[in-house]
Amino acid sequence: PEHIWGEIPPYNSNLTEFNIKPVGTGPWQFKSFIKDKLGNIKSYTIVPNPRYSGPKPYLQKITFKFYPDFETAVLALNQRSVEGVSFLPKELEDKLNNNQIRAHSFHLPQYTAVFFNQKNNEFLKSKEVRWALASSIDKAKILTEALRLKGEVIDGPILPGYLGYDEDIEKIPYNPNLAKKSLEGVGWKKMNRDEVPTTTLGMSEKDSDNQEYYLTSGNKILQVQLTTVDLPENTKAAELIKEFWQAIGIKVSLELISPARIYRDIIKPRNYQALLFGIIIGAENDPYPFWHSS
């Protein structure tokens, strides 16, 4: 409301008391929080809102505790300092050593996709190149090796159960042979790595690259940089995608960016060629952020 927020400068909005002690109309209300010496919130407690008109909460209190990393959160869970962790990377599930801990999986309203930025890579302006990149990705293998089958293969940005979902949407099947033919059809030709001129591919890259052949056209080599968040699941998926693309002759370099930098340095300035990124879409599927032309 303006009578509360009107005089608060935007750069102070995260720090103001009205933000960390909010007033709302939902079933819960703020009670207390604890900070450390640096001002970081360590715990945050909410209690039922007696003025809420809907169904009353069954619990009398919920306290959220915040940890600097997943490893510390797992330690707190094993030591029974907390009763649950809302999310845990799959590679840390094996570190749960308390036999009373139970893991539950559920579908999240999110998807992960590769986004192409045609402005930063001239090759991506070709529909045939984009189609080849898409059809050469073995999604089932990514699901098995990167996600341990905890997910499902999708074919578009609108998820099942959401307004606008179309189960008959055109699907791009995994077919690396057709991907190769698509690229050959627009002039890309095979060239063994030892035959690529040093002016096209630097010697240091030739020495370190174990790719059998590249696709070339004139003095150009078909290449793309794949950027993703430096998290285990994303990294594993990106490494697999690199293998798939290299298998059809595309030269691929990986760029891993820390979670703290990905939005500021990569997404907001559109500083990527191909971006492997997970999108949380929330209760209403609004594809605007990554799909609107602006």
Side-chain angles (χ1 to χ4, degrees):
E2 184 179 4
H3 71 277
I4 291 178
W5 289 91
E7 301 300 321
I8 297 174
Y11 54 81
N12 282 343
S13 60
N14 286 340
L15 303 176
T16 180
E17 185 171 306
F18 300 116
N19 186 52
I20 58 178
K21 296 181 181 180
V23 176
T25 58
W28 297 91
Q29 66 181 19
F30 165 80
K31 182 183 180 182
S32 63
F33 63 80
I34 297 175
K35 288 184 177 182
D36 62 16
K37 294 181 180 179
L38 299 177
N40 300 308
I41 294 180
K42 303 296 291 182
S43 69
Y44 196 93
T45 300
I46 57 177
V47 295
N49 180 0
R51 295 176 294 279
Y52 180 60
S53 59
K56 306 299 181 185
Y58 291 106
L59 302 177
Q60 296 304 307
K61 180 177 68 173
I62 298 178
T63 298
F64 298 95
K65 295 185 178 181
F66 301 93
Y67 297 92
D69 50 59
F70 288 115
E71 288 78 6
T72 311
V74 168
L75 181 62
L77 189 60
N78 286 331
Q79 296 177 344
R80 301 185 182 181
S81 298
V82 294
E83 296 177 272
V85 175
S86 63
F87 171 76
L88 200 60
K90 294 170 180 57
E91 67 275 5
L92 292 181
E93 290 180 0
D94 296 336
K95 295 188 178 182
L96 299 175
N97 56 28
N98 185 331
N99 57 17
Q100 293 185 341
I101 297 174
R102 291 183 296 172
H104 299 271
S105 299
F106 58 94
H107 281 76
L108 295 173
Q110 68 180 53
Y111 66 91
T112 298
V114 176
F115 298 90
F116 297 138
N117 186 350
Q118 300 179 34
K119 292 183 178 180
N120 286 1
N121 185 318
E122 62 175 317
F123 306 128
L124 296 176
K125 295 178 181 180
S126 165
K127 182 178 180 180
E128 290 77 12
V129 169
R130 298 195 305 272
W131 193 92
L133 290 170
S135 61
S136 60
I137 293 178
D138 187 348
K139 295 181 182 179
K141 187 173 183 179
I142 294 176
L143 185 63
T144 301
E145 297 189 12
L147 298 178
R148 301 184 187 180
L149 294 177
K150 294 184 177 179
E152 61 182 277
V153 172
I154 61 172
D155 298 287
I158 299 179
L159 305 185
Y162 280 82
L163 181 66
Y165 172 70
D166 180 7
E167 62 181 12
D168 296 323
I169 188 174
E170 181 182 356
K171 299 175 175 60
I172 299 180
Y174 169 58
N175 195 326
N177 289 327
L178 277 181
K180 294 176 185 177
K181 291 181 180 179
S182 173
L183 295 172
E184 291 171 0
V186 289
W188 292 100
K189 299 179 180 179
K190 266 187 178 184
M191 181 174 289
N192 292 332
R193 62 188 296 263
D194 295 330
E195 298 174 352
V196 178
T198 55
T199 54
T200 303
L201 186 68
M203 286 302 296
S204 60
E205 293 180 278
K206 290 181 68 173
D207 293 339
S208 63
D209 201 336
N210 58 3
Q211 197 165 335
E212 293 183 9
Y213 69 91
Y214 301 104
L215 291 176
T216 62
S217 178
N219 62 348
K220 295 181 179 179
I221 182 170
L222 183 53
Q223 54 188 316
V224 63
Q225 183 180 65
L226 178 61
T227 302
T228 193
V229 189
D230 190 8
L231 294 173
E233 290 177 13
N234 291 67
T235 300
K236 179 60 178 177
E239 290 172 347
L240 289 171
I241 292 172
K242 178 180 179 179
E243 292 177 11
F244 301 148
W245 287 350
Q246 286 181 327
I248 64 171
I250 299 172
K251 179 174 174 55
V252 185
S253 59
L254 289 184
E255 181 183 39
L256 303 179
I257 305 295
S258 70
R261 292 179 48 222
I262 190 71
Y263 178 75
R264 181 188 71 239
D265 295 347
I266 302 299
I267 296 176
K268 188 174 182 180
R270 303 295 188 262
N271 185 25
Y272 61 86
Q273 297 179 17
L275 173 69
L276 176 70
F277 195 68
I279 309 300
I280 299 175
I281 59 178
E284 296 183 4
N285 184 28
D286 182 3
Y288 182 94
F290 278 79
W291 291 89
H292 191 267
S293 59
S294 64

